[in-house]
């Protein structure tokens, strides 16, 4: 199973769970409305779940974008020679977003979003 598939499956379960809760609460809300019962609490839960669902959708888009960047980098790496013996500017530009220099270490951030701390 690929990383992308694992990430998507974990996200799908969360989104499906929220959708299922929303459906149940909406049914309950309709029943209470038909019986003229107070349903503010259920309505509040529905609004909160809808906000969670929206955030979940945004998170999914961000994960998909990150997966696409990782896949692009993997494809680029596969196309490169394996006998790298000198600095390759194209490779660095393709991978590296930034390097932050701290007093006691460096933080290397790749374009995929991965951050690596290196003791200096």
């Amino acid at each position: 199973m690929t990383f992308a598939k694992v990430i998507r499956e974990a996200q799908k379960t969360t989104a499906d769970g929220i959708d299922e809760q929303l459906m149940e609460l909406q049914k309950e809300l309709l029943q209470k409305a038909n019986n003229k019962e107070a349903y503010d609490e259920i309505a509040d839960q529905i609004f909160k779940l809808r906000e969670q669902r929206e955030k979940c959708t945004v998170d999914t888009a961000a994960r998909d974008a990150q997966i696409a960047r990782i896949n692009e980098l993997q494809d680029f790496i596969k196309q490169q020679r394996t006998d790298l013996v000198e600095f390759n500017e194209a490779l660095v530009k393709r991978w590296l977003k930034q390097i932050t220099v701290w007093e006691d270490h460096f933080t290397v951030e790749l374009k995929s979003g991965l951050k690596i701390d290196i003791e200096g």
Side-chain angles (χ1 to χ4, degrees), residues 32-47:
K32 289 193 181 265
N34 289 336
N35 296 332
K36 295 186 174 34
E37 295 178 39
Y39 56 88
D40 289 342
E41 185 179 322
I42 295 172
D44 287 343
Q45 288 178 2
I46 288 173
F47 288 128

Side-chain angles (χ1 to χ4, degrees), residues 12-26 49-50 52-54 56-57:
K12 184 175 181 268
T13 302
T14 303
D16 287 347
I18 291 171
D19 286 343
E20 194 173 307
Q21 289 177 55
L22 276 170
M23 289 300 292
E24 290 301 317
L25 285 172
Q26 288 170 354
L49 283 171
R50 284 183 179 163
Q52 277 184 314
R53 182 67 171 100
E54 186 176 321
C56 187
T57 302

Side-chain angles (χ1 to χ4, degrees), residues 18-96:
I18 291 171
D19 286 343
E20 194 173 307
Q21 289 177 55
L22 276 170
M23 289 300 292
E24 290 301 317
L25 285 172
Q26 288 170 354
K27 287 177 190 175
E28 190 176 337
L29 183 65
L30 284 175
Q31 288 172 349
K32 289 193 181 265
N34 289 336
N35 296 332
K36 295 186 174 34
E37 295 178 39
Y39 56 88
D40 289 342
E41 185 179 322
I42 295 172
D44 287 343
Q45 288 178 2
I46 288 173
F47 288 128
K48 286 177 186 173
L49 283 171
R50 284 183 179 163
E51 287 174 1
Q52 277 184 314
R53 182 67 171 100
E54 186 176 321
K55 184 183 181 312
C56 187
T57 302
V58 170
D59 289 348
T60 299
R63 282 190 186 100
D64 286 348
Q66 186 176 23
I67 290 167
R69 287 193 304 268
I70 290 169
N71 288 337
E72 183 181 311
L73 285 172
Q74 287 175 333
D75 292 344
F76 181 76
I77 291 167
K78 287 177 188 173
Q79 295 170 4
Q80 301 307 306
R81 295 185 354 229
T82 56
D83 59 341
L84 248 129
V85 293
E86 61 187 36
F87 178 77
N88 184 326
E89 187 175 348
L91 189 60
V92 171
K93 284 183 177 182
R94 187 71 174 229
W95 273 52
L96 189 63

